Amino acid sequence: MPAEYLKKAARRSTDDAGDTRAAVQAILDEIEAGGDEAARKYAAKFDRYDGNVVLTRDEIDAAIAQVPQKLKDDIRFAWDNVRRFAEAQKETIRDMEIEILPGLVAGQKAIPCRAAGCYAPGGRYSHIASALMTVTTAKVAGCGHITACSPPRPGIGIAPAIVYTADLCGADTILALGGVQGIAAMAFGLFGLPQADILVGPGNQFVAEAKRILFGRVGIDMFAGPTDSLILADETADPHVVAWDLVGQAEHGYNSPVWLATTHRPLAETVLELVPQFIATLPELNRENATAAWRDMAEVMVVADREGLAQVADSYAPEHLHVQAADLDWFLGRLQCYGSLFLGEETTVAFGDKSSGPNHVLPTSGAARYTGGLSVHKYMKLVTWQRSTRDAAKPVAEATARISRLEGMEGHARTADIRLEKYFPGERFDLTADGGAA
């Protein structure tokens, strides 16, 4: 269904991986070869930090003492919501077994990763919520060791609120390292840490590229690009609320797309007037980010009906999808491609980002077409097992031998043959691919 664009993006968001790959690969190679000292060298170079990398208990307690009690209470509120949602998610995966044939039993077992590395950004903004989302879910999943890693500030170290959050949520170790050197330290097991089985958490293009390069050697949550958000609205939506929700997400950065699709042209026109006014009231850094994102990346479009809204959403596959329209249940049933869905004016992406419970580490750049976001499940391996009696193995071995020979895999076939010979001596079986007797 065609959409009429009242505002079209001047350019598309890119992850800049092509420009950064060589630089990131060189840093990873040097740190892997040089170990702890190489990581410290890059901390001094990029973060201008030469303090302790692995925080001691005393350093953690000193940082916690700097966090105001009201902020601690807010973080605990958010942590409790995230934890309870993660615990409910974990309950959806259970060990199970089934008797496929009489005597042939197979099963599923959920095993958490042994070590998780959780990255919390600390550059333009101190991402308390990223520590909440990544460390809490790893803890609920049952990971054996959890490292939290965040960029330190010159002469200060990690933001105290991030230290408090990581400690509260269950981090076993907290590293004062940022960027590629932080990712490398967790992946390679530097500073006496276990090598991470999985690396999670958002970051800039260098962090994202480091995770991309290391994927395969370690697991990662996803390939993350700039955050993006889409609002679907009809004539019932409040243009002031819609405009602020767009501005709130545009402040993430110059390359963070925000989109509005609506069935109501007057709403679109009002929002186009309001957004620049609202952006102008933000603090300087936020204003600069939001101005660039709105100017270059934002889109506003009008479609004929709610099915048109749904088609836009499925086409864009946004990280965040917010519906401010009538009949929310229809949208819940119809929409298919999104990282996280926000239904109604009474919720907003910022709630999900900070404290409502569902995880905020989500697929970007259209990846919601094929994957969801970070969850307890990402830290867990679903593995299978099987056990059989000799009688139950008989028909399985016959089928395996014939299928293997049809494929030309004689070695496979003979692992079945030998069991039939051993378990059923003197019995003849039809084990050739063409149906002749063996």
Side-chain angles (χ1 to χ4, degrees):
M1 184 173 293
E4 178 189 357
Y5 284 85
L6 304 189
K7 184 182 186 309
K8 187 76 173 175
R11 64 186 183 86
R12 292 294 176 183
S13 176
T14 61
D15 60 12
D16 297 326
D19 298 332
T20 60
R21 183 176 181 87
V24 172
Q25 184 69 67
I27 296 171
L28 289 173
D29 290 344
E30 186 174 344
I31 293 175
E32 185 169 20
D36 297 0
E37 288 309 310
R40 286 193 180 95
K41 184 192 84 170
Y42 279 106
K45 178 179 180 179
F46 293 131
D47 295 324
R48 292 177 290 130
Y49 177 77
D50 58 3
N52 197 26
V53 171
V54 181
L55 271 60
T56 65
R57 187 67 247 176
D58 286 346
E59 288 172 324
I60 292 170
D61 291 340
I64 289 172
Q66 299 178 52
V67 182
Q69 187 59 48
K70 187 172 181 61
L71 179 55
K72 288 180 179 177
D73 293 342
D74 288 338
I75 292 171
R76 279 188 168 273
F77 169 80
W79 168 66
D80 188 57
N81 292 342
V82 174
R83 176 183 54 80
R84 290 192 294 115
F85 189 83
E87 288 172 347
Q89 280 187 321
K90 189 177 181 183
E91 288 300 310
T92 66
I93 294 184
R94 299 178 182 273
D95 294 354
M96 66 84 175
E97 64 179 59
I98 179 175
E99 189 171 39
I100 297 175
L101 301 171
L104 173 59
V105 180
Q108 168 181 288
K109 187 174 177 62
I111 302 175
C113 293
R114 296 165 300 174
C118 303
Y119 189 87
R124 283 185 303 230
Y125 310 112
S126 293
H127 285 265
I128 297 168
S130 291
L132 270 171
M133 301 292 173
T134 57
V135 178
T136 302
T137 46
K139 189 70 174 179
V140 171
C143 295
H145 186 278
I146 303 168
T147 299
C149 179
S150 191
R153 294 175 178 177
I156 298 173
I158 300 175
I162 292 181
V163 175
Y164 170 73
T165 303
D167 186 63
L168 171 69
C169 297
D172 297 292
T173 303
I174 302 176
L175 286 184
L177 282 175
V180 177
Q181 60 270 25
I183 294 297
M186 295 188 290
F188 301 148
L190 304 186
F191 302 101
L193 298 172
Q195 292 182 343
D197 295 323
I198 185 169
L199 298 169
V200 303
N204 62 20
Q205 67 265 37
F206 297 98
V207 169
E209 187 60 26
K211 289 166 63 179
R212 185 192 304 270
I213 290 171
L214 291 166
F215 178 57
R217 294 180 59 171
V218 298
I220 65 171
D221 45 3
M222 64 196 72
F223 298 121
T227 188
D228 57 69
S229 298
L230 168 64
I231 294 177
L232 306 180
D234 64 12
E235 69 280 0
T236 67
D238 182 334
H240 287 76
V241 173
V242 171
W244 266 119
D245 285 343
L246 293 168
V247 171
Q249 291 304 299
E251 78 172 350
H252 272 287
Y254 71 94
N255 57 353
S256 294
V258 290
W259 307 300
L260 169 63
T262 180
T263 56
H264 192 54
R265 176 182 286 271
L267 173 79
E269 292 172 344
T270 302
V271 168
L272 283 168
E273 293 177 4
L274 291 175
V275 167
Q277 298 173 29
F278 293 168
I279 289 175
T281 68
L282 295 175
E284 182 178 3
L285 174 61
N286 312 66
R287 184 171 66 249
E288 290 175 357
N289 287 331
T291 296
W294 180 253
R295 180 189 65 232
D296 297 335
M297 312 299 297
E299 295 185 334
V300 176
M301 66 202 86
V302 178
V303 299
D305 52 29
R306 67 182 185 181
E307 175 58 28
L309 294 177
Q311 290 181 20
V312 168
D314 286 346
S315 173
Y316 278 58
E319 177 187 10
H320 308 103
L321 179 56
H322 192 174
V323 180
Q324 298 184 37
D327 199 356
L328 297 177
D329 286 340
W330 182 88
F331 284 96
L332 178 60
R334 167 62 181 82
L335 297 168
Q336 296 180 310
C337 299
Y338 53 84
S340 191
L341 178 61
F342 300 81
L343 293 164
E345 178 188 292
E346 294 74 20
T347 187
T348 182
V349 175
F351 290 178
D353 280 348
K354 308 304 179 187
S355 66
S356 59
N359 209 286
H360 84 181
V361 181
L362 300 166
T364 63
S365 307
R369 292 179 295 107
Y370 57 82
T371 188
L374 181 64
S375 69
V376 166
H377 310 149
K378 290 279 188 178
Y379 297 96
M380 305 186 77
K381 302 173 291 184
L382 284 181
V383 298
T384 59
W385 57 268
Q386 55 188 274
R387 177 182 297 159
S388 182
T389 64
R390 292 185 173 186
D391 285 338
K394 184 177 180 180
V396 176
E398 291 181 82
T400 297
R402 290 191 288 265
I403 291 170
S404 297
R405 289 196 168 92
L406 182 62
E407 295 173 337
M409 303 187 75
E410 184 62 25
H412 280 62
R414 292 187 186 186
T415 64
D417 295 349
I418 194 172
R419 283 165 172 79
L420 292 170
E421 293 169 6
K422 179 177 180 179
Y423 302 157
F424 306 99
E427 196 167 338
R428 290 178 58 81
F429 297 96
D430 177 3
L431 302 178
T432 61
D434 59 8

